[in-house]
């Protein structure tokens, strides 16, 4: 039987303890939603980096037409980068490598990269992520990591984790042992099942994004289970597209 736990912030990741475990990262507003939508809309791959300086270094010696730089820090678009806005990015990323720098989500993914496998999840692909876990990881320990924001708990990430847990426990084919944190996340979601937009809009990050006139993106990423893209981190530490039944067969060094 597999086991599921939830971490409330990326700062809670213990890089030694996650060896051999499965990690699913949530940054619903916005990094992991942008990653899911970007790969669904035709990006070749997405390279998560820690900050803008690392993004520029990653871009060195690449064909200028082969990639786009996308990034923000504390909600402000980095100079010379595109905003990580999932709807506006669609027209810029077709068949290109996206080098993505965000304040929380890409940092959480990089910190989780010592795990056996790493997936990126959001409300958009939550159902597909749950099916992937049931297909490939029923004997593993799965850690759902809420990225949080600036070291603080983020309600929208916790809601996303609860949604995936609810999907996971709805799958008849597998059983899971849930920690108390996982049980609470699922109950939080079930108590607000029909309130995804309200949860996102009322969160601290949601209120910040509204000040940047990004309501349309919030409404988009509040949609649940509409995409079957399941991004996973490959052996190059690059996020690539997988579907519901994807199997990740590499072992990080």
């Amino acid at each position: 039987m597999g086991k599921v736990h939830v971490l409330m912030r990326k700062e809670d990741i213990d890089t030694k303890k996650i060896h051999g475990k499965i990690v699913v990262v949530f940054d619903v507003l916005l990094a992991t939603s942008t990653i899911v939508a970007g790969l669904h809309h035709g990006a070749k791959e997405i390279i998560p980096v820690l900050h803008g300086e690392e993004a520029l270094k990653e871009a060195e010696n690449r064909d200028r037409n082969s990639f786009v730089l996308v990034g923000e820090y504390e909600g402000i678009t980095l100079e010379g980068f595109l905003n990580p806005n999932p709807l506006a990015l669609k027209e810029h990323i077709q068949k290109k490598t996206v080098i993505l720098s965000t304040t929380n989500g890409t940092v959480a993914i990089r910190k989780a990269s010592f795990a056996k496998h790493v997936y990126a999840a959001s409300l958009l692909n939550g159902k597909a992520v749950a099916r992937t876990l049931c297909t490939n990881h029923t004997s593993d320990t799965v850690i759902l990591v809420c990225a949080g924001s600036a070291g603080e708990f983020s309600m929208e990430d916790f809601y996303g984790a609860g949604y995936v847990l609810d999907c996971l426990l709805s799958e008849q084919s597998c059983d899971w042992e849930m920690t108390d944190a996982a049980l609470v996340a699922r109950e939080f979601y079930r108590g607000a099942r029909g309130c995804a937009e309200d949860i996102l809009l009322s969160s601290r990050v949601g209120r910040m994004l509204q000040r940047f006139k990004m309501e349309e993106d919030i409404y988009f990423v509040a949609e649940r289970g509409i995409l079957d893209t399941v991004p996973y981190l490959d052996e190059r530490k690059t996020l690539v597209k997988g579907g519901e039944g994807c199997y990740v067969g590499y072992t990080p060094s």
Side-chain angles (χ1 to χ4, degrees):
M1 178 186 296
K3 181 177 180 179
V4 187
H5 182 50
V6 175
L7 294 181
M8 306 298 177
R9 310 173 308 149
K10 64 183 181 301
E11 288 78 8
D12 298 331
I13 297 173
D14 185 324
T15 55
K16 293 181 179 177
K17 288 185 177 179
I18 64 171
H19 276 285
K21 297 183 173 63
I22 311 303
V23 172
V24 182
V25 177
F26 296 82
D27 185 5
V28 172
L29 293 175
L30 264 177
T32 54
S33 296
T34 298
I35 289 165
V36 172
L39 289 171
H40 174 77
H41 288 132
K44 176 184 175 184
E45 59 190 5
I46 296 178
I47 301 174
V49 299
L50 297 174
H51 42 64
E53 184 177 336
E54 184 179 331
L56 294 174
K57 189 170 182 60
E58 185 66 46
E60 287 179 0
N61 302 319
R62 291 178 180 266
D63 182 333
R64 189 65 192 90
N65 295 316
S66 70
F67 70 91
V68 291
L69 291 168
V70 181
E72 57 77 25
Y73 182 69
E74 296 185 345
I76 306 296
T77 306
L78 297 174
E79 185 175 353
F81 288 56
L82 297 174
N83 187 291
N85 166 332
L87 294 177
L89 277 179
K90 283 193 293 186
E91 59 185 89
H92 301 286
I93 59 176
Q94 291 288 325
K95 299 181 181 178
K96 291 191 176 183
T97 297
V98 176
I99 303 173
L100 178 64
S101 174
T102 67
T103 311
N104 299 295
T106 56
V107 176
I109 291 168
R110 285 288 297 275
K111 196 169 182 182
S113 64
F114 298 96
K116 184 178 179 182
H117 303 305
V118 179
Y119 297 100
S122 69
L123 295 176
L124 296 169
N125 71 339
K127 186 176 292 186
V129 169
R131 289 176 180 163
T132 296
L133 295 175
C134 276
T135 300
N136 299 316
H137 302 300
T138 52
S139 299
D140 288 309
T141 295
V142 177
I143 301 175
L144 308 185
V145 174
C146 302
S149 176
E152 297 183 4
F153 170 82
S154 286
M155 179 168 58
E156 69 277 11
D157 296 340
F158 195 59
Y159 184 80
Y163 169 54
V164 168
L165 286 166
D166 196 54
C167 294
L168 199 59
L169 296 181
S170 298
E171 294 286 332
Q172 301 296 319
S173 58
C174 44
D175 295 320
W176 297 91
E177 178 187 350
M178 309 267 284
T179 65
D180 286 356
L183 287 169
V184 171
R186 188 198 187 198
E187 289 306 310
F188 174 65
Y189 169 75
R190 289 170 67 88
R193 187 194 301 268
C195 307
E197 291 182 356
D198 291 338
I199 292 288
L200 270 56
L201 287 167
S202 62
S203 69
R204 188 181 70 81
V205 177
R207 297 195 304 274
M208 178 187 73
L209 294 178
Q210 289 174 76
R211 291 196 293 275
F212 296 144
K213 310 298 182 187
M214 294 178 66
E215 289 91 342
E216 188 178 359
D217 289 279
I218 296 175
Y219 291 132
F220 169 62
V221 304
E223 296 190 68
R224 287 165 294 169
I226 64 168
L227 303 180
D228 63 5
T229 298
V230 181
Y232 65 92
L233 206 60
D234 71 6
E235 66 276 9
R236 302 167 300 151
K237 311 294 186 192
T238 296
L239 290 156
V240 296
K241 182 178 180 179
E244 288 183 1
C246 71
Y247 177 75
V248 187
Y250 74 94
T251 302
S253 57

